[in-house]
Amino acid sequence: IIVAAVVVVLAVLSSVKVVGTGQVGVVTQYGRVTGRELDEGMSIVLPFGVNKVTMYDIKLQKQTVDSKAASSDLQDVSSQIVLNYNLRRDNISHLHQTIGDAYEDKVITPAINEVFKAAAAQYNASELISKRNELKAETQKIISERLEKYGITVDELSITNFEFSPNFSKAIEDKQVAQQNAERAKFNLEAAKTDAEAQKAQSETLSQ
C-alpha cells in the first residue's frame, strides 16, 4: 500500500505542469513533437517522463550582441547591438521541432553578426558615425526578413556605440583638435581685423 501510494504521488507530481504568464509549453513524447501546446496555468501530461514539456517565452525579449566588423576603408569597428523581438505564438511547435530552445545561439546571434558585418562594409569609418540611422535601418530590415521565416518577429534594433582601433581613434581626435585650432585661429584673425578697423575709425574721429 505504501509503495502504491508513493507511486501515485510521484505520478501526480510528474504529470502536473505549470506554465507561467506569457509562456507556451511544447509537449513532446519520447522526443517527438506531439502538436499539443500548453497555455498559461496548470495542465496534466503523461507522467514519469513519457511527456516532456519545453517552455517558450512569447513576451517581448531582448538579445544583446557584441559584434565586430570592418568598414569600407578597412577600419576595424566593434559595436554593441541590442535586438528586441518576440516569438510568434502560432509557430512555437515548428520552432521547437526545427531549431529547439537554443534559438538565440543558433539563429539570432549569427544573423546579427553576419548582417552587421555586411552592412558596415558599405560605409567608411566616418560614415558609420554620421550615417548611423541609415545603418540601423538597413540592418534591422535585413535581420527582420531573415528571422521572420523562423517565426521570430523583430520589434526594434539599436546600435548603442561604435569603437574603433586606437590608431584610428587617435587620428579622429587629432583631426578634431586641428579643426578646433583652425576655427580658433580664424576667430582670432577676425577679432584682430575688427579691432584694427575699430582703432582706425576711432583715430579718424579723433583727427576730425
Side-chain angles (χ1 to χ4, degrees), residues 24-38:
V24 175
V26 175
V27 180
T28 57
Q29 185 166 321
Y30 300 121
R32 180 178 60 84
V33 175
T34 63
R36 181 187 177 194
E37 296 178 353
L38 306 182

Side-chain angles (χ1 to χ4, degrees), residues 6-187:
V6 170
V7 171
V8 170
V9 170
L10 292 177
V12 171
L13 292 177
S14 63
S15 64
V16 175
K17 299 297 179 182
V18 177
V19 180
T21 302
Q23 291 184 323
V24 175
V26 175
V27 180
T28 57
Q29 185 166 321
Y30 300 121
R32 180 178 60 84
V33 175
T34 63
R36 181 187 177 194
E37 296 178 353
L38 306 182
D39 292 322
E40 301 172 2
M42 187 172 65
S43 300
I44 302 297
V45 298
L46 296 179
F48 302 122
V50 175
N51 281 160
K52 181 180 178 182
V53 180
T54 304
M55 302 296 181
Y56 285 86
D57 196 333
I58 58 174
K59 299 189 298 294
L60 187 66
Q61 301 182 66
K62 181 175 75 172
Q63 174 81 345
T64 301
V65 177
D66 293 324
S67 186
K68 295 183 178 181
S71 61
S72 61
D73 51 352
L74 302 182
Q75 296 294 335
D76 293 330
V77 56
S78 59
S79 179
Q80 186 177 79
I81 300 175
V82 179
L83 185 73
N84 292 328
Y85 70 94
N86 64 276
L87 305 180
R88 279 211 330 263
R89 173 65 180 82
D90 61 351
N91 195 70
I92 297 298
S93 289
H94 182 68
L95 176 69
H96 180 78
Q97 189 172 33
T98 56
I99 301 175
D101 56 358
Y103 56 87
E104 287 187 343
D105 294 333
K106 291 182 179 179
V107 174
I108 296 180
T109 298
I112 291 175
N113 284 324
E114 183 178 346
V115 173
F116 178 69
K117 289 180 188 296
Q122 306 301 315
Y123 300 85
N124 62 43
S126 298
E127 289 174 337
L128 287 177
I129 299 174
S130 62
K131 297 183 178 181
R132 177 181 295 192
N133 289 337
E134 295 180 18
L135 174 66
K136 169 193 169 182
E138 180 181 353
T139 304
Q140 179 172 331
K141 178 177 181 295
I142 298 175
I143 290 179
S144 297
E145 294 172 351
R146 181 167 299 191
L147 296 183
E148 184 62 31
K149 64 182 179 181
Y150 299 109
I152 303 173
T153 302
V154 173
D155 181 72
E156 181 69 22
L157 179 140
S158 301
I159 301 176
T160 58
N161 59 9
F162 285 117
E163 291 184 3
F164 298 94
S165 65
N167 290 337
F168 183 74
S169 298
K170 182 64 167 56
I172 292 179
E173 182 181 351
D174 292 343
K175 181 179 179 181
Q176 290 175 338
V177 171
Q179 289 177 340
Q180 292 173 354
N181 290 337
E183 292 173 358
R184 186 179 297 110
K186 181 180 179 181
F187 174 80

